[in-house]
Amino acid sequence: MPESMDERLPDEDTAQDQRPSKSQVKRDLHALLDLGRELIALPATRLAQLPLDESLREAIALAQRIHSNEGRRRQTHYVGKLLRRADAQALRRQLAEWASGSRELTRSMHRLEALRDRLIDDDEALTRLLASFPQLDIQALRAQIRAARKEAQDNLSRTPDQEPARKHYRALFQTLKQIDFEDIPNGHDAGND
């Protein structure tokens, strides 16, 4: 006579409840496949920094060399299978850290570009910058700003088919990159109105 639900041992219920559902297993496998795709897209210098075992590293390198769609798809699935034995959470954390660092670097560059544009457009921005950083070489910075302004003025007289001059514009940006904006609170806002 088959056992009724009431006659089952408590261990059987808990064991069954602790197993992930088929849907969850499938989601986890797809997540590993997506992680594998991200790893395959990485340059070799980044891959070298990750804690990967040799078989996984070789599988990723092979997937990067395969150009046929079907072959690459199969190799990507193999990479996903190998990732089951790897520490996927650590890999995801490292990828997220690289992505956030890259975003922060982009934001920092945009702030410097905005500061450069303010310095070229407005003398008051230079006054605010020098108030925050009195150790800056005032004469050299003013000379760079004047050269960038003259360059911008000369670019206005060029015809549309001529490339604008950017030498002093870029040099001013490089000078601003050398300033350590972490020295002051709200350093990224130095030179703001």
Side-chain angles (χ1 to χ4, degrees), residues 63-95:
Q64 290 174 332
R65 291 191 304 266
I66 295 175
H67 295 291
S68 83
N69 288 336
E70 182 59 22
R72 189 167 202 158
R73 184 193 67 77
R74 281 194 313 269
Q75 188 65 20
T76 302
H77 279 268
Y78 180 63
V79 167
K81 181 179 177 182
L82 291 177
L83 279 170
R84 293 179 201 167
R85 297 188 313 238
D87 186 1
Q89 287 303 97
L91 294 172
R92 284 187 184 102
R93 276 193 304 273
Q94 183 61 55
L95 291 174

Side-chain angles (χ1 to χ4, degrees), residues 2-145:
E3 292 180 359
S4 70
M5 293 293 272
D6 298 334
E7 294 175 10
R8 268 202 254 172
L9 297 174
D11 291 343
E12 290 178 27
D13 285 339
T14 5
Q16 194 172 19
D17 291 343
Q18 290 177 350
R19 280 191 315 203
S21 68
K22 284 173 67 175
S23 298
Q24 183 59 46
V25 169
K26 202 170 190 178
R27 282 190 295 271
D28 292 344
L29 292 176
H30 280 289
L32 288 176
L33 195 59
D34 291 339
L35 178 60
R37 287 186 185 108
E38 286 183 60
L39 293 175
I40 291 169
L42 287 176
T45 55
R46 290 285 190 177
L47 278 174
Q49 298 172 17
L50 292 173
L52 303 173
D53 65 23
E54 196 55 37
S55 61
L56 180 56
R57 193 175 302 281
E58 289 172 4
I60 291 170
L62 179 60
Q64 290 174 332
R65 291 191 304 266
I66 295 175
H67 295 291
S68 83
N69 288 336
E70 182 59 22
R72 189 167 202 158
R73 184 193 67 77
R74 281 194 313 269
Q75 188 65 20
T76 302
H77 279 268
Y78 180 63
V79 167
K81 181 179 177 182
L82 291 177
L83 279 170
R84 293 179 201 167
R85 297 188 313 238
D87 186 1
Q89 287 303 97
L91 294 172
R92 284 187 184 102
R93 276 193 304 273
Q94 183 61 55
L95 291 174
E97 185 179 312
W98 285 338
S100 68
S102 174
R103 284 190 296 271
E104 181 55 39
L105 180 63
T106 302
R107 277 193 295 274
S108 173
M109 291 298 145
H110 286 301
R111 288 190 298 259
L112 287 176
E113 289 169 352
L115 176 58
R116 173 191 55 199
D117 293 341
R118 284 192 307 273
L119 288 170
I120 291 172
D121 293 339
D122 183 18
D123 287 329
E124 193 59 36
L126 177 60
T127 306
R128 287 189 303 274
L129 181 66
L130 292 174
S132 299
F133 297 96
Q135 75 277 14
L136 292 177
D137 184 357
I138 298 168
Q139 288 181 331
L141 195 54
R142 283 190 176 149
Q144 279 190 321
I145 293 170

Side-chain angles (χ1 to χ4, degrees), residues 133-167:
F133 297 96
Q135 75 277 14
L136 292 177
D137 184 357
I138 298 168
Q139 288 181 331
L141 195 54
R142 283 190 176 149
Q144 279 190 321
I145 293 170
R146 272 195 307 273
R149 285 177 180 168
K150 182 177 179 340
E151 188 176 66
Q153 195 63 35
D154 293 345
N155 285 339
L156 294 176
S157 64
R158 291 179 180 253
T159 61
D161 60 326
Q162 290 179 314
E163 282 289 318
R166 296 284 203 196
K167 177 182 174 185

